[in-house]
Amino acid sequence: MRGACSRGPAAGDGRLRLARLALVLLGWVSSPSPISSASSSTSSTSLLAPEVSAQPPLSGQCPTPCECSEAARTVKCVNRNLTEVPADLPHYVRNLFLTGNHLEVLPAGAFVRRPPLAELAALNLSGNRLAEVRAGAFEHLPSLRQLDLSHNPLAHLSPFAFSGSNTSVSDPSPLVELILNHIVPPADQLHNQSLEGIVAAALRAGQALRGLTRLELASNQFLYLPRDLPAQLPGLKYLDLRNNSLVSLTYVSFRNLTHLESLHLEDNALKVLHNGTLAEWQGLAHVKVFLDNNPWVCDCHMADMVAWLKETEIVPGKASLTCAFPEKMRNRVLLQLSSSDLDCEPILPPSLQTSYVFLGIVLALIGAIFLLVLYLNRKGIKKWMHNIRDACRDHMEGYHYRYEINADPRLTNLSSNSDV
């Protein structure tokens, strides 16, 4: 009895194991094989792949040589040796940096895309060796507010570069800020044109830039400011002309720049400012004028400017303005000058005085050499003068003889008979 009882549990365990094994085998047979499932997934992937590849590329893709940030809406193509604007710019771009490349020429419609770059607001093209910007180069950029063309040798800037390729109809540009610092081309590429004239023609063409509020023209070696340029840009708030070679502002009117807030004229060649310019500046409600580092000539013509500086508040740092000429007034502070200090004695810098003395010596030496040559060749010159005198005398005697014959009819008949 005990044996039967002891074998009972063992037999029960065996039957339980057999039942479990049968269930496992049944489950394995009923489930699909791993190979078949893998093959089915592979076949489904292969069926979907052609559909995915047939789709057009996403408009948000990034050009190969560039770095893109969709979150910041920024694309940077910096120092990539690009020779043209990438064709596959993403539609979301708001800030585009194309700097340090080799574009050289910016043709019409350089940024025309489908769909258009409707959100592009800031475009930086500095340092690209750009020599030519053609008409309509910035067409179809309705949101463009800031454009930087600095550090490019712009020998050819089309008058319609900012308005459109259709020169008969010039649409207003959306630009608010235009930066044209250091765009001086080699002198042999200007073709008898001045950089001042090229820039002025592009700024005034069709009044396309009347909405401009910021204009930077620093470090361009400008000798003058075109007379009617301020009148073409009435909305300007910031005008940067520092580090040029401006000598005078006498013929330039600032009267129409009623919104002007900052006028930078540092590091130019201004010697004095006259009453007309000073009165116009004083009439502008919000302007601040920066005049540091100019070679002021402190003579009697400076009296009005000194009096104006002492009263005005529109010149920040006016206490640092000093005289450059004459030598006796060098480094004198303008605000500390009185009318007795300002006279109009002949003032020349020592360098000019030395150059005039040297020029006089050179001319005297040339004159002495000329006289010496005449003296050494006096006999030949005398003989030459005698020959000229004799030739003139013979010539005049011939004319006199012919005159006598024509005046006396008898001599005329005699001369005719002798001819016969």
Side-chain angles (χ1 to χ4, degrees):
M1 186 62 81
R2 285 180 184 174
C5 293
S6 62
R7 286 195 300 268
D13 292 340
R15 286 194 297 271
L16 183 59
R17 290 175 183 174
L18 289 174
R20 289 178 178 175
L21 180 59
L23 290 174
V24 170
L25 291 173
L26 288 173
W28 181 79
V29 171
S30 61
S31 64
S33 65
I35 298 175
S36 63
S37 63
S39 61
S40 64
S41 63
T42 304
S43 62
S44 63
T45 304
S46 63
L47 291 174
L48 292 174
E51 297 179 0
V52 174
S53 61
Q55 291 179 353
L58 295 176
S59 58
Q61 66 181 349
C62 186
T64 303
C66 305
E67 300 175 1
C68 304
S69 172
E70 186 172 1
R73 309 278 183 158
T74 300
V75 175
K76 294 183 178 180
C77 308
V78 180
N79 299 326
R80 299 297 183 179
N81 297 324
L82 298 176
T83 57
E84 59 183 9
V85 180
D88 50 350
L89 291 170
H91 70 280
Y92 61 75
V93 60
R94 288 182 183 172
N95 307 298
L96 177 57
F97 295 86
L98 284 169
T99 61
N101 293 292
H102 304 281
L103 300 182
E104 294 187 1
V105 176
L106 205 61
F111 296 91
V112 175
R113 300 291 183 274
R114 291 184 180 179
L117 303 177
E119 297 187 21
L120 183 58
L123 176 58
N124 192 328
L125 293 168
S126 61
N128 275 307
R129 304 183 185 180
L130 268 175
E132 181 177 3
V133 178
R134 296 176 182 171
F138 306 102
E139 280 188 313
H140 301 289
L141 296 176
S143 300
L144 187 61
R145 298 293 183 267
Q146 184 185 73
L147 175 62
D148 190 347
L149 292 172
S150 300
H151 297 276
N152 286 297
L154 290 178
H156 303 279
L157 180 63
S158 170
F160 295 91
F162 308 111
S163 56
S165 57
N166 186 2
T167 56
S168 61
V169 179
S170 56
D171 298 328
S173 171
L175 278 176
V176 175
E177 299 183 10
L178 180 58
I179 305 173
L180 297 172
N181 297 330
H182 208 294
I183 58 171
V184 184
D188 58 344
Q189 295 183 11
L190 284 174
H191 304 294
N192 298 324
Q193 293 180 307
S194 66
L195 183 59
E196 295 93 335
I198 293 174
V199 172
L203 292 176
R204 72 164 68 100
Q207 299 184 347
L209 296 174
R210 291 185 67 84
L212 211 61
T213 62
R214 184 184 185 94
L215 177 61
E216 297 187 20
L217 296 170
S219 303
N220 286 319
Q221 302 177 12
F222 282 179
L223 295 174
Y224 66 93
L225 189 64
R227 180 179 303 183
D228 60 339
L229 184 60
Q232 304 296 326
L233 306 171
L236 274 185
K237 295 182 178 180
Y238 184 96
L239 178 57
D240 190 352
L241 294 166
R242 75 185 82 192
N243 198 27
N244 283 288
S245 301
L246 299 176
V247 177
S248 175
L249 300 174
T250 303
Y251 301 104
V252 182
S253 176
F254 297 88
R255 187 178 297 108
N256 291 336
L257 299 181
T258 55
H259 302 284
L260 191 62
E261 297 177 359
S262 296
L263 175 59
H264 289 268
L265 293 166
E266 304 99 309
D267 299 291
N268 276 278
L270 297 173
K271 296 176 175 59
V272 67
L273 298 172
H274 297 288
N275 282 339
T277 302
L278 302 177
E280 288 184 354
W281 287 350
Q282 199 64 40
L284 301 178
H286 310 291
V287 72
K288 296 293 181 184
V289 183
F290 300 86
L291 298 171
D292 299 317
N293 299 324
N294 281 281
W296 305 111
V297 177
C298 295
D299 59 6
C300 59
H301 302 291
M302 177 63 72
D304 293 333
M305 179 178 170
V306 170
W308 177 79
L309 282 174
K310 291 179 179 179
E311 297 178 358
T312 189
E313 298 297 331
I314 70 173
V315 182
K318 61 182 180 179
S320 62
L321 303 181
T322 58
C323 303
F325 303 108
E327 184 63 29
K328 65 177 183 179
M329 301 290 289
R330 186 181 296 274
N331 296 327
R332 291 281 302 274
V333 178
L334 266 61
L335 291 181
Q336 297 178 358
L337 298 178
S338 62
S339 57
S340 59
D341 297 322
L342 301 171
D343 53 36
C344 278
E345 295 178 358
I347 54 171
L348 286 175
S351 58
L352 290 180
Q353 294 177 2
T354 304
S355 63
Y356 280 124
V357 171
F358 180 74
L359 179 62
I361 294 174
V362 171
L363 293 176
L365 182 60
I366 293 173
I369 293 174
F370 180 72
L371 293 175
L372 180 62
V373 171
L374 292 179
Y375 177 76
L376 294 176
N377 292 277
R378 63 188 182 279
K379 293 182 179 181
I381 295 174
K382 184 176 180 180
K383 183 178 179 180
W384 177 70
M385 293 294 292
H386 283 305
N387 292 336
I388 292 178
R389 184 191 64 185
D390 295 339
C392 291
R393 182 183 297 169
D394 294 340
H395 196 64
M396 292 302 295
E397 286 180 355
Y399 274 113
H400 183 67
Y401 177 70
R402 291 180 183 178
Y403 175 75
E404 288 180 349
I405 291 176
N406 294 331
D408 193 339
R410 292 175 300 175
L411 294 177
T412 304
N413 296 332
L414 181 60
S415 63
S416 62
N417 293 332
S418 62
D419 292 338
V420 174

